[in-house]
Amino acid sequence: MKTVKRIEIIIPAVELKKVLRLLKESGVSGYTVIRSVTGFGDRGEQTGDELTGVFDNACVLTLAEPEKAGGIVEEIRAVLKRHGGVCVVSDANWVIH
Amino acid sequence: MDAHLILSNLLNPPVLFFFLGMLACMVGSDLEIPQPLPKFFSLYLLLSIGFKGGVELAKSGFHDEVAWTLAAAVGMAIMVPTVTFFILRRKMDVSNAAAVAATYGSISAVTFIAATSFLSLLNLKSSGYMVAAMALMESPAIVVGIALARLTATRMERGFDWSGLLRDAFFNGSVLVLVGALVIGMMTGEAGGRALAPFTTDIFKGMLCLFLLDMGLVSARRLGAIKQLGGFPIGFALAVPLGSAALAILLARLIGLGCGDALLFTTLCASASYIAVPAAMRMALPEANPGLYVTMSLAITFPFNIILGLPLYMGVINHIWR
């Protein structure tokens, strides 16, 4: 197993493309996207039932080497500051196969 | 207002399905349309209305009336957000004023489609180029809203991605499908129209019923948010459609449109976007509150237009055109 940082990002669905582009540019080797994520936060309830995608969130899950995680988080922080959302970083063990 | 027109509209199956959706939400029913389907219905309706409009346009050709109507449509799509922005600025900050103004400057394709269904109930004809007018009116308000916000704001971040905004405004999915279907309809003409009639015409009203059932659910879910809006946004969401409709009827009369086309033009000007504009505003003006502009458009203006607006506008048009 390899020690990595697990980065979970919940952002408005309309900003998903931008976040994925930032992750690719940051050099992550992959990511997983969960669409139509709903919930409640400081921007009110995200019901996800609009055609617009305006009240819809997306969740992005990625793994990064510990030394790269700080740079990725700073890139994501700028998006979160303007558009809202959540980013959580935790320690994880990656099962190499 | 003509009671017969109101009754005809209320007994139109799509409108009754809209009520059914609202009722289901209000009584706490577990009725729901699975998530990808509303997007599919929306795509189907835009494709059908665009294609049929193209076929009609191929038949009628391009003449002075078409040019004047399209020019008036673009003029209204620029004028409405500009004027309403400065009215809204008296009560709202720059971002919210711009987002609401753009919402009301753009159009609701579903309200337009409900108007075509109302016209068929009254046996009134409309022209294919009205679909082109709808396509032209969808995007300018987005650009005007963002431009006004950036010109009047005291503090906005530098390096705004205008090319991305213009791409989203003019090539978003709804506009692309609508314009693409219109062009395909024009290219294939009557032969194409006959070939696709089982898909674009025969099942059209049933699909509209399903879509409006979902719209009823979605609108009713946002009804609770109306209480938090306050008096000014509610008054605005009712007054602006009426003001825009009055101006549109005047323009339609000056251009010399028939009753059916006049209703469609009026409906376009009186409706507010809840698909293309909110998505663009959420990206370009994240400081604006979507709970404000989506609720105004979806929970107040949309139900008002399809329940009372359509028969009211038709009644005025009938009275003036008589």
Side-chain angles (χ1 to χ4, degrees):
Chain A
M1 286 197 285
K2 183 179 175 185
T3 303
V4 288
K5 293 285 182 186
R6 174 190 164 115
I7 305 173
E8 288 163 89
I9 309 155
I10 297 169
I11 30 102
V14 291
E15 290 303 311
L16 179 62
K17 265 196 236 172
K18 187 191 282 180
V19 167
L20 297 183
R21 198 189 64 230
L22 287 175
L23 288 178
K24 278 182 189 165
E25 286 169 1
S26 305
V28 298
S29 58
Y31 52 73
T32 299
V33 177
I34 306 168
R35 292 175 195 273
S36 300
V37 175
T38 61
F40 180 80
D42 56 3
R43 302 208 175 196
E45 190 162 7
Q46 304 298 299
T47 49
D49 59 3
E50 315 290 345
L51 284 163
T52 58
V54 160
F55 296 100
D56 204 7
N57 282 340
C59 177
V60 183
L61 174 64
T62 189
L63 302 174
E65 288 163 16
E67 58 275 18
K68 278 188 182 172
I72 294 172
V73 166
E74 285 315 308
E75 293 278 357
I76 299 300
R77 194 194 301 275
V79 180
L80 298 178
K81 198 171 176 183
R82 186 159 155 74
H83 298 276
V86 175
C87 177
V88 179
V89 181
S90 53
D91 292 323
N93 291 314
W94 182 10
V95 179
I96 307 291
H97 54 89
Chain B
M1 211 192 307
D2 190 336
H4 166 71
L5 284 174
I6 297 175
L7 198 64
S8 300
N9 187 47
L10 290 181
L11 294 178
N12 194 10
V15 176
L16 288 172
F17 275 99
F18 179 77
F19 285 133
L20 182 63
M22 289 189 102
L23 178 76
C25 183
M26 285 168 184
V27 299
S29 162
D30 62 352
L31 174 70
E32 77 176 306
I33 311 281
Q35 253 322 290
L37 286 178
K39 284 190 179 166
F40 169 74
F41 298 146
S42 158
L43 199 64
Y44 166 82
L45 293 172
L46 291 168
L47 187 151
S48 295
I49 201 86
F51 181 79
K52 287 189 284 189
V55 172
E56 289 299 318
L57 196 53
K59 255 194 279 181
S60 66
F62 198 88
H63 44 82
D64 281 358
E65 193 179 288
V66 181
W68 281 113
T69 307
L70 298 185
V74 174
M76 285 294 281
I78 293 170
M79 196 273 287
V80 171
T82 309
V83 172
T84 54
F85 174 77
F86 291 102
I87 297 170
L88 289 158
R89 274 296 284 129
R90 293 164 180 265
K91 299 276 183 183
M92 293 177 190
D93 60 37
V94 169
S95 297
N96 278 316
V100 174
T103 301
Y104 280 82
S106 186
I107 54 97
S108 152
V110 182
T111 313
F112 177 89
I113 291 166
T116 61
S117 168
F118 182 52
L119 284 179
S120 69
L121 203 72
L122 301 174
N123 291 317
L124 282 172
K125 288 214 172 290
S126 60
S127 307
Y129 63 79
M130 293 311 299
V131 178
M134 171 166 68
L136 282 176
M137 288 181 84
E138 183 111 49
S139 308
I142 296 173
V143 179
V144 172
I146 306 294
L148 284 168
R150 299 195 66 78
L151 287 172
T152 55
T154 50
R155 192 169 58 85
M156 283 255 175
E157 97 283 16
R158 290 167 181 220
F160 182 73
D161 180 15
W162 274 104
S163 66
L165 175 78
L166 291 173
R167 187 185 57 236
D168 287 334
F170 291 98
F171 294 104
N172 71 69
S174 359
V175 174
L176 196 70
V177 166
L178 189 65
V179 175
L182 183 86
V183 173
I184 292 169
M186 280 175 70
M187 287 165 67
T188 54
E190 279 191 78
R194 275 195 301 277
L196 278 193
F199 179 68
T200 56
T201 308
D202 297 354
I203 61 169
F204 184 81
K205 216 160 187 175
M207 294 290 260
L208 182 59
C209 289
L210 276 168
F211 188 71
L212 282 181
L213 177 69
D214 183 62
M215 291 302 296
L217 286 164
V218 172
S219 298
R221 275 184 213 130
R222 299 219 68 78
L223 282 179
I226 292 178
K227 281 183 272 178
Q228 292 153 16
L229 289 181
F232 176 74
I234 295 171
F236 181 94
L238 293 170
V240 167
L242 291 172
S244 299
L247 193 54
I249 290 171
L250 182 70
L251 282 171
R253 186 70 179 157
L254 288 174
I255 296 167
L257 297 180
C259 282
D261 290 342
L263 178 74
L264 293 185
F265 183 65
T266 305
T267 303
L268 285 175
C269 296
S271 65
S273 172
Y274 50 83
I275 299 180
V277 175
M281 291 302 124
R282 186 74 199 265
M283 276 192 276
L285 295 172
E287 307 83 6
N289 175 14
L292 176 72
Y293 54 85
V294 175
T295 304
M296 287 169 71
S297 164
L298 196 59
I300 304 174
T301 305
F302 177 70
F304 169 76
N305 272 331
I306 68 158
I307 296 167
L308 287 176
L310 294 180
L312 172 67
Y313 309 146
M314 193 72 248
V316 174
I317 289 165
N318 279 343
H319 185 73
I320 297 174
W321 264 245
R322 198 179 293 149

